mmCIF file of all heavy atoms in Angstrom:
data_model
loop_
_atom_site.group_PDB
_atom_site.id
_atom_site.type_symbol
_atom_site.label_atom_id
_atom_site.label_comp_id
_atom_site.label_asym_id
_atom_site.label_seq_id
_atom_site.Cartn_x
_atom_site.Cartn_y
_atom_site.Cartn_z
ATOM 1 N N THR A 1 -26.243 -59.364 -22.655
ATOM 2 C CA THR A 1 -25.755 -58.216 -23.471
ATOM 3 C C THR A 1 -26.261 -56.913 -22.822
ATOM 4 O O THR A 1 -27.462 -56.597 -22.929
ATOM 5 C CB THR A 1 -26.360 -58.326 -24.886
ATOM 6 O OG1 THR A 1 -25.982 -59.543 -25.398
ATOM 7 C CG2 THR A 1 -25.760 -57.217 -25.729
ATOM 8 N N PRO A 2 -25.388 -56.156 -22.081
ATOM 9 C CA PRO A 2 -25.792 -54.927 -21.481
ATOM 10 C C PRO A 2 -26.280 -53.919 -22.568
ATOM 11 O O PRO A 2 -25.753 -53.952 -23.682
ATOM 12 C CB PRO A 2 -24.537 -54.430 -20.799
ATOM 13 C CG PRO A 2 -23.670 -55.651 -20.599
ATOM 14 C CD PRO A 2 -24.003 -56.517 -21.843
ATOM 15 N N GLU A 3 -27.251 -53.105 -22.173
ATOM 16 C CA GLU A 3 -27.826 -52.177 -23.126
ATOM 17 C C GLU A 3 -26.768 -51.224 -23.750
ATOM 18 O O GLU A 3 -26.758 -50.847 -24.864
ATOM 19 C CB GLU A 3 -28.958 -51.376 -22.539
ATOM 20 C CG GLU A 3 -29.809 -50.600 -23.506
ATOM 21 C CD GLU A 3 -30.449 -51.488 -24.548
ATOM 22 O OE1 GLU A 3 -30.763 -52.635 -24.320
ATOM 23 O OE2 GLU A 3 -30.541 -51.033 -25.757
ATOM 24 N N THR A 4 -25.806 -50.834 -22.837
ATOM 25 C CA THR A 4 -24.793 -49.924 -23.282
ATOM 26 C C THR A 4 -23.888 -50.542 -24.370
ATOM 27 O O THR A 4 -23.487 -49.845 -25.301
ATOM 28 C CB THR A 4 -23.866 -49.439 -22.064
ATOM 29 O OG1 THR A 4 -23.395 -50.615 -21.430
ATOM 30 C CG2 THR A 4 -24.683 -48.634 -21.132
ATOM 31 N N VAL A 5 -23.613 -51.779 -24.167
ATOM 32 C CA VAL A 5 -22.816 -52.491 -25.217
ATOM 33 C C VAL A 5 -23.583 -52.649 -26.482
ATOM 34 O O VAL A 5 -23.080 -52.395 -27.577
ATOM 35 C CB VAL A 5 -22.388 -53.923 -24.663
ATOM 36 C CG1 VAL A 5 -21.719 -54.745 -25.794
ATOM 37 C CG2 VAL A 5 -21.472 -53.757 -23.471
ATOM 38 N N ARG A 6 -24.858 -52.953 -26.376
ATOM 39 C CA ARG A 6 -25.714 -53.057 -27.564
ATOM 40 C C ARG A 6 -25.752 -51.678 -28.341
ATOM 41 O O ARG A 6 -25.742 -51.640 -29.535
ATOM 42 C CB ARG A 6 -27.102 -53.528 -27.178
ATOM 43 C CG ARG A 6 -27.991 -53.906 -28.374
ATOM 44 C CD ARG A 6 -29.355 -54.444 -27.887
ATOM 45 N NE ARG A 6 -29.196 -55.705 -27.156
ATOM 46 C CZ ARG A 6 -29.022 -56.868 -27.782
ATOM 47 N NH1 ARG A 6 -28.957 -57.009 -29.108
ATOM 48 N NH2 ARG A 6 -28.954 -58.000 -27.036
ATOM 49 N N GLU A 7 -25.884 -50.603 -27.524
ATOM 50 C CA GLU A 7 -25.989 -49.338 -28.162
ATOM 51 C C GLU A 7 -24.676 -48.952 -28.868
ATOM 52 O O GLU A 7 -24.712 -48.415 -29.930
ATOM 53 C CB GLU A 7 -26.239 -48.246 -27.066
ATOM 54 C CG GLU A 7 -27.690 -48.370 -26.570
ATOM 55 C CD GLU A 7 -27.881 -47.417 -25.361
ATOM 56 O OE1 GLU A 7 -26.919 -46.748 -24.931
ATOM 57 O OE2 GLU A 7 -29.059 -47.355 -24.870
ATOM 58 N N HIS A 8 -23.520 -49.316 -28.311
ATOM 59 C CA HIS A 8 -22.241 -48.935 -28.905
ATOM 60 C C HIS A 8 -22.113 -49.805 -30.184
ATOM 61 O O HIS A 8 -21.572 -49.321 -31.171
ATOM 62 C CB HIS A 8 -21.078 -49.206 -27.925
ATOM 63 C CG HIS A 8 -20.899 -48.161 -26.980
ATOM 64 N ND1 HIS A 8 -21.319 -48.196 -25.617
ATOM 65 C CD2 HIS A 8 -20.400 -46.940 -27.029
ATOM 66 C CE1 HIS A 8 -21.081 -47.107 -25.006
ATOM 67 N NE2 HIS A 8 -20.448 -46.265 -25.811
ATOM 68 N N TYR A 9 -22.507 -51.077 -30.094
ATOM 69 C CA TYR A 9 -22.414 -51.917 -31.252
ATOM 70 C C TYR A 9 -23.271 -51.405 -32.426
ATOM 71 O O TYR A 9 -22.837 -51.346 -33.536
ATOM 72 C CB TYR A 9 -22.857 -53.358 -30.963
ATOM 73 C CG TYR A 9 -22.823 -54.319 -32.147
ATOM 74 C CD1 TYR A 9 -21.618 -54.933 -32.445
ATOM 75 C CD2 TYR A 9 -23.999 -54.565 -32.840
ATOM 76 C CE1 TYR A 9 -21.595 -55.802 -33.522
ATOM 77 C CE2 TYR A 9 -23.957 -55.438 -33.962
ATOM 78 C CZ TYR A 9 -22.747 -55.996 -34.280
ATOM 79 O OH TYR A 9 -22.655 -56.861 -35.376
ATOM 80 N N ALA A 10 -24.460 -50.918 -32.052
ATOM 81 C CA ALA A 10 -25.426 -50.389 -33.043
ATOM 82 C C ALA A 10 -24.818 -49.167 -33.806
ATOM 83 O O ALA A 10 -25.223 -48.897 -34.975
ATOM 84 C CB ALA A 10 -26.701 -49.937 -32.376
ATOM 85 N N LEU A 11 -23.870 -48.482 -33.206
ATOM 86 C CA LEU A 11 -23.254 -47.253 -33.863
ATOM 87 C C LEU A 11 -22.171 -47.694 -34.876
ATOM 88 O O LEU A 11 -21.747 -46.817 -35.616
ATOM 89 C CB LEU A 11 -22.666 -46.353 -32.756
ATOM 90 C CG LEU A 11 -23.685 -45.696 -31.833
ATOM 91 C CD1 LEU A 11 -22.914 -44.973 -30.775
ATOM 92 C CD2 LEU A 11 -24.637 -44.782 -32.621
ATOM 93 N N LEU A 12 -21.756 -48.926 -34.854
ATOM 94 C CA LEU A 12 -20.763 -49.382 -35.861
ATOM 95 C C LEU A 12 -21.223 -49.280 -37.225
ATOM 96 O O LEU A 12 -22.432 -49.710 -37.532
ATOM 97 C CB LEU A 12 -20.247 -50.753 -35.514
ATOM 98 C CG LEU A 12 -19.522 -50.957 -34.221
ATOM 99 C CD1 LEU A 12 -19.166 -52.436 -34.013
ATOM 100 C CD2 LEU A 12 -18.221 -50.182 -34.138
ATOM 101 N N ALA A 13 -20.473 -48.757 -38.168
ATOM 102 C CA ALA A 13 -20.851 -48.655 -39.576
ATOM 103 C C ALA A 13 -21.027 -50.040 -40.193
ATOM 104 O O ALA A 13 -21.897 -50.258 -40.986
ATOM 105 C CB ALA A 13 -19.887 -47.823 -40.391
ATOM 106 N N GLY A 14 -20.083 -50.966 -39.844
ATOM 107 C CA GLY A 14 -20.101 -52.334 -40.396
ATOM 108 C C GLY A 14 -20.385 -53.276 -39.303
ATOM 109 O O GLY A 14 -19.675 -53.404 -38.309
ATOM 110 N N LYS A 15 -21.436 -54.085 -39.485
ATOM 111 C CA LYS A 15 -21.865 -55.060 -38.410
ATOM 112 C C LYS A 15 -21.336 -56.464 -38.784
ATOM 113 O O LYS A 15 -21.032 -56.772 -39.919
ATOM 114 C CB LYS A 15 -23.439 -55.187 -38.284
ATOM 115 C CG LYS A 15 -24.073 -53.813 -38.124
ATOM 116 C CD LYS A 15 -23.751 -53.175 -36.769
ATOM 117 C CE LYS A 15 -24.670 -52.053 -36.427
ATOM 118 N NZ LYS A 15 -24.572 -50.912 -37.334
ATOM 119 N N ALA A 16 -21.219 -57.336 -37.766
ATOM 120 C CA ALA A 16 -20.701 -58.694 -37.956
ATOM 121 C C ALA A 16 -21.564 -59.497 -38.991
ATOM 122 O O ALA A 16 -21.113 -60.357 -39.654
ATOM 123 C CB ALA A 16 -20.714 -59.427 -36.656
ATOM 124 N N SER A 17 -22.845 -59.062 -39.017
ATOM 125 C CA SER A 17 -23.773 -59.819 -39.950
ATOM 126 C C SER A 17 -23.415 -59.645 -41.406
ATOM 127 O O SER A 17 -23.847 -60.456 -42.288
ATOM 128 C CB SER A 17 -25.252 -59.341 -39.736
ATOM 129 O OG SER A 17 -25.334 -58.011 -39.898
ATOM 130 N N ALA A 18 -22.541 -58.658 -41.707
ATOM 131 C CA ALA A 18 -22.133 -58.367 -43.070
ATOM 132 C C ALA A 18 -20.944 -59.259 -43.455
ATOM 133 O O ALA A 18 -20.536 -59.311 -44.649
ATOM 134 C CB ALA A 18 -21.785 -56.940 -43.269
ATOM 135 N N CYS A 19 -20.383 -59.968 -42.547
ATOM 136 C CA CYS A 19 -19.241 -60.845 -42.892
ATOM 137 C C CYS A 19 -19.511 -61.854 -44.000
ATOM 138 O O CYS A 19 -20.488 -62.564 -43.969
ATOM 139 C CB CYS A 19 -18.782 -61.582 -41.580
ATOM 140 S SG CYS A 19 -17.307 -62.663 -41.823
ATOM 141 N N VAL A 20 -18.589 -61.896 -44.960
ATOM 142 C CA VAL A 20 -18.751 -62.791 -46.135
ATOM 143 C C VAL A 20 -17.896 -64.011 -45.961
ATOM 144 O O VAL A 20 -17.857 -64.908 -46.800
ATOM 145 C CB VAL A 20 -18.429 -62.058 -47.430
ATOM 146 C CG1 VAL A 20 -19.413 -60.971 -47.628
ATOM 147 C CG2 VAL A 20 -16.976 -61.510 -47.457
ATOM 148 N N GLY A 21 -17.118 -64.119 -44.824
ATOM 149 C CA GLY A 21 -16.358 -65.293 -44.599
ATOM 150 C C GLY A 21 -15.141 -65.537 -45.447
ATOM 151 O O GLY A 21 -14.707 -66.590 -45.743
ATOM 152 N N CYS A 22 -14.544 -64.380 -45.935
ATOM 153 C CA CYS A 22 -13.467 -64.474 -46.910
ATOM 154 C C CYS A 22 -12.153 -64.991 -46.238
ATOM 155 O O CYS A 22 -11.258 -65.474 -46.902
ATOM 156 C CB CYS A 22 -13.236 -63.148 -47.633
ATOM 157 S SG CYS A 22 -12.665 -61.784 -46.602
ATOM 158 N N GLY A 23 -12.024 -64.675 -44.942
ATOM 159 C CA GLY A 23 -10.851 -65.092 -44.191
ATOM 160 C C GLY A 23 -9.646 -64.226 -44.312
ATOM 161 O O GLY A 23 -8.603 -64.529 -43.834
ATOM 162 N N ALA A 24 -9.757 -63.046 -44.980
ATOM 163 C CA ALA A 24 -8.642 -62.106 -45.121
ATOM 164 C C ALA A 24 -8.109 -61.683 -43.754
ATOM 165 O O ALA A 24 -6.888 -61.539 -43.524
ATOM 166 C CB ALA A 24 -9.018 -60.982 -45.998
ATOM 167 N N CYS A 25 -9.030 -61.440 -42.817
ATOM 168 C CA CYS A 25 -8.658 -61.005 -41.460
ATOM 169 C C CYS A 25 -7.861 -62.083 -40.732
ATOM 170 O O CYS A 25 -6.863 -61.758 -40.124
ATOM 171 C CB CYS A 25 -9.966 -60.662 -40.742
ATOM 172 S SG CYS A 25 -11.236 -61.912 -40.778
ATOM 173 N N GLU A 26 -8.252 -63.329 -40.919
ATOM 174 C CA GLU A 26 -7.561 -64.399 -40.212
ATOM 175 C C GLU A 26 -6.152 -64.577 -40.773
ATOM 176 O O GLU A 26 -5.201 -64.907 -40.018
ATOM 177 C CB GLU A 26 -8.391 -65.681 -40.301
ATOM 178 C CG GLU A 26 -9.655 -65.657 -39.447
ATOM 179 C CD GLU A 26 -10.395 -67.012 -39.489
ATOM 180 O OE1 GLU A 26 -9.890 -67.931 -40.149
ATOM 181 O OE2 GLU A 26 -11.443 -67.046 -38.797
ATOM 182 N N ALA A 27 -6.013 -64.356 -41.990
ATOM 183 C CA ALA A 27 -4.726 -64.442 -42.698
ATOM 184 C C ALA A 27 -3.708 -63.442 -42.223
ATOM 185 O O ALA A 27 -2.491 -63.683 -42.122
ATOM 186 C CB ALA A 27 -4.805 -64.378 -44.177
ATOM 187 N N ARG A 28 -4.308 -62.267 -41.754
ATOM 188 C CA ARG A 28 -3.377 -61.208 -41.312
ATOM 189 C C ARG A 28 -3.200 -61.179 -39.761
ATOM 190 O O ARG A 28 -2.267 -60.524 -39.260
ATOM 191 C CB ARG A 28 -3.964 -59.859 -41.720
ATOM 192 C CG ARG A 28 -3.927 -59.540 -43.203
ATOM 193 C CD ARG A 28 -4.317 -58.125 -43.416
ATOM 194 N NE ARG A 28 -5.652 -57.853 -43.148
ATOM 195 C CZ ARG A 28 -6.627 -57.871 -44.136
ATOM 196 N NH1 ARG A 28 -6.326 -58.174 -45.373
ATOM 197 N NH2 ARG A 28 -7.862 -57.642 -43.789
ATOM 198 N N CYS A 29 -3.951 -61.957 -39.060
ATOM 199 C CA CYS A 29 -3.883 -61.939 -37.543
ATOM 200 C C CYS A 29 -2.672 -62.681 -37.042
ATOM 201 O O CYS A 29 -2.409 -63.829 -37.337
ATOM 202 C CB CYS A 29 -5.159 -62.636 -36.951
ATOM 203 S SG CYS A 29 -5.160 -62.653 -35.144
ATOM 204 N N PRO A 30 -1.769 -61.919 -36.269
ATOM 205 C CA PRO A 30 -0.550 -62.549 -35.772
ATOM 206 C C PRO A 30 -0.797 -63.535 -34.682
ATOM 207 O O PRO A 30 0.102 -64.308 -34.321
ATOM 208 C CB PRO A 30 0.161 -61.334 -35.228
ATOM 209 C CG PRO A 30 -0.486 -60.117 -35.678
ATOM 210 C CD PRO A 30 -1.897 -60.489 -35.951
ATOM 211 N N PHE A 31 -2.046 -63.598 -34.160
ATOM 212 C CA PHE A 31 -2.358 -64.424 -32.936
ATOM 213 C C PHE A 31 -3.251 -65.570 -33.240
ATOM 214 O O PHE A 31 -3.766 -66.299 -32.322
ATOM 215 C CB PHE A 31 -2.876 -63.563 -31.863
ATOM 216 C CG PHE A 31 -2.015 -62.399 -31.482
ATOM 217 C CD1 PHE A 31 -2.356 -61.146 -31.827
ATOM 218 C CD2 PHE A 31 -0.778 -62.603 -30.835
ATOM 219 C CE1 PHE A 31 -1.491 -60.067 -31.538
ATOM 220 C CE2 PHE A 31 0.090 -61.565 -30.557
ATOM 221 C CZ PHE A 31 -0.285 -60.274 -30.902
ATOM 222 N N GLY A 32 -3.584 -65.750 -34.540
ATOM 223 C CA GLY A 32 -4.453 -66.996 -34.910
ATOM 224 C C GLY A 32 -5.837 -66.921 -34.334
ATOM 225 O O GLY A 32 -6.394 -67.935 -33.997
ATOM 226 N N VAL A 33 -6.420 -65.702 -34.204
ATOM 227 C CA VAL A 33 -7.758 -65.593 -33.653
ATOM 228 C C VAL A 33 -8.826 -66.102 -34.707
ATOM 229 O O VAL A 33 -8.680 -65.769 -35.848
ATOM 230 C CB VAL A 33 -8.048 -64.148 -33.309
ATOM 231 C CG1 VAL A 33 -9.479 -63.903 -32.889
ATOM 232 C CG2 VAL A 33 -7.078 -63.612 -32.211
ATOM 233 N N PRO A 34 -9.743 -66.927 -34.321
ATOM 234 C CA PRO A 34 -10.816 -67.413 -35.190
ATOM 235 C C PRO A 34 -11.802 -66.312 -35.413
ATOM 236 O O PRO A 34 -12.913 -66.324 -34.901
ATOM 237 C CB PRO A 34 -11.414 -68.590 -34.372
ATOM 238 C CG PRO A 34 -11.271 -68.194 -32.972
ATOM 239 C CD PRO A 34 -9.935 -67.475 -32.891
ATOM 240 N N VAL A 35 -11.418 -65.390 -36.297
ATOM 241 C CA VAL A 35 -12.230 -64.160 -36.520
ATOM 242 C C VAL A 35 -13.630 -64.473 -37.084
ATOM 243 O O VAL A 35 -14.608 -64.012 -36.663
ATOM 244 C CB VAL A 35 -11.521 -63.142 -37.410
ATOM 245 C CG1 VAL A 35 -12.424 -62.002 -37.647
ATOM 246 C CG2 VAL A 35 -10.203 -62.730 -36.831
ATOM 247 N N ARG A 36 -13.651 -65.376 -38.054
ATOM 248 C CA ARG A 36 -14.974 -65.747 -38.681
ATOM 249 C C ARG A 36 -15.918 -66.337 -37.707
ATOM 250 O O ARG A 36 -17.096 -65.985 -37.709
ATOM 251 C CB ARG A 36 -14.734 -66.667 -39.960
ATOM 252 C CG ARG A 36 -14.102 -65.900 -41.144
ATOM 253 C CD ARG A 36 -13.746 -66.910 -42.256
ATOM 254 N NE ARG A 36 -12.587 -67.709 -41.873
ATOM 255 C CZ ARG A 36 -12.014 -68.536 -42.750
ATOM 256 N NH1 ARG A 36 -12.531 -68.632 -44.038
ATOM 257 N NH2 ARG A 36 -10.954 -69.230 -42.446
ATOM 258 N N GLU A 37 -15.362 -67.172 -36.839
ATOM 259 C CA GLU A 37 -16.236 -67.715 -35.815
ATOM 260 C C GLU A 37 -16.728 -66.681 -34.919
ATOM 261 O O GLU A 37 -17.953 -66.682 -34.472
ATOM 262 C CB GLU A 37 -15.418 -68.752 -34.990
ATOM 263 C CG GLU A 37 -16.113 -69.503 -33.899
ATOM 264 C CD GLU A 37 -15.341 -70.389 -33.135
ATOM 265 O OE1 GLU A 37 -14.373 -70.989 -33.749
ATOM 266 O OE2 GLU A 37 -15.478 -70.581 -31.913
#
C-alpha cells in the first residue's frame, strides 16, 4: 500500500469499514462486481 494511496483513501468521507453488507450496490452493478467482497 503506497503512502500516497493510503493518504488519498484517508480523505474519503466514507470508508470501506462502514459497509453493512446490504448488497444494494451489487444489485445495481451492470458488470457483476463482487462489491461486498
Side-chain angles (χ1 to χ4, degrees):
T1 307
E3 192 59 34
T4 53
V5 173
R6 190 176 295 280
E7 290 172 357
H8 282 102
Y9 179 83
L11 294 174
L12 293 176
K15 308 293 193 296
S17 56
C19 179
V20 296
C22 68
C25 49
E26 291 184 358
R28 289 191 292 266
C29 179
F31 305 107
V33 174
V35 179
R36 286 175 289 186
E37 179 182 327

